[in-house]
Amino acid sequence: MKVQCYAIFDQCSGIYEKPFFSTADAVVVREFQDIVASNEHPIAKHPEHYSLWRLGTFDNTNGKILNERNECLIQGVEARALENNKRDGQIDVVDQSDRKPGG
């Protein structure tokens, strides 16, 4: 089975946090939004410094990690705005083109 590999990029330190795996982008985007919406998590305190990235694919049948072009799925400030809009009953479309770490 193939699963996706993800990491959160910290713009201030310039590094990706420890990678983690999931089956779908939508699941990790939702989890990232939950983190940003939480008042307790450090990412929630400075969402402008963080972004969520897909790094590649892991095939657990052969143990291989396939690196693709890293793709930013959502910025911390976008996740915060989406959460705020949900509370206000609004839905916005987010442009996810041409993302770069720290961008």
Side-chain angles (χ1 to χ4, degrees):
M1 173 182 201
K2 292 182 181 178
V3 294
Q4 300 300 314
C5 179
Y6 302 91
I8 294 174
F9 181 75
D10 178 350
Q11 179 178 328
C12 286
S13 66
I15 63 168
Y16 290 88
E17 300 296 330
K18 196 179 303 181
F20 57 96
F21 301 90
S22 184
T23 55
D25 291 353
V27 173
V28 295
V29 167
R30 180 180 60 211
E31 291 170 356
F32 186 70
Q33 286 177 281
D34 290 345
I35 289 169
V36 170
S38 136
N39 291 328
E40 307 303 317
H41 201 284
I43 291 175
K45 295 178 182 181
H46 301 282
E48 68 277 9
H49 297 162
Y50 298 94
S51 51
L52 174 65
W53 289 76
R54 184 179 348 100
L55 305 178
T57 303
F58 172 66
D59 187 335
N60 66 6
T61 61
N62 62 20
K64 293 186 180 184
I65 296 175
L66 306 172
N67 188 351
E68 298 143 7
R69 192 186 95 199
N70 291 0
E71 182 178 349
C72 181
L73 300 178
I74 191 166
Q75 301 278 341
V77 293
E78 293 170 331
R80 168 80 45 88
L82 288 170
E83 284 301 308
N84 290 341
N85 287 346
K86 273 201 289 188
R87 283 192 291 269
D88 296 340
Q90 300 174 0
I91 299 175
D92 290 342
V93 176
V94 178
D95 179 14
Q96 296 185 12
S97 61
D98 196 36
R99 306 246 174 133
K100 296 181 176 96

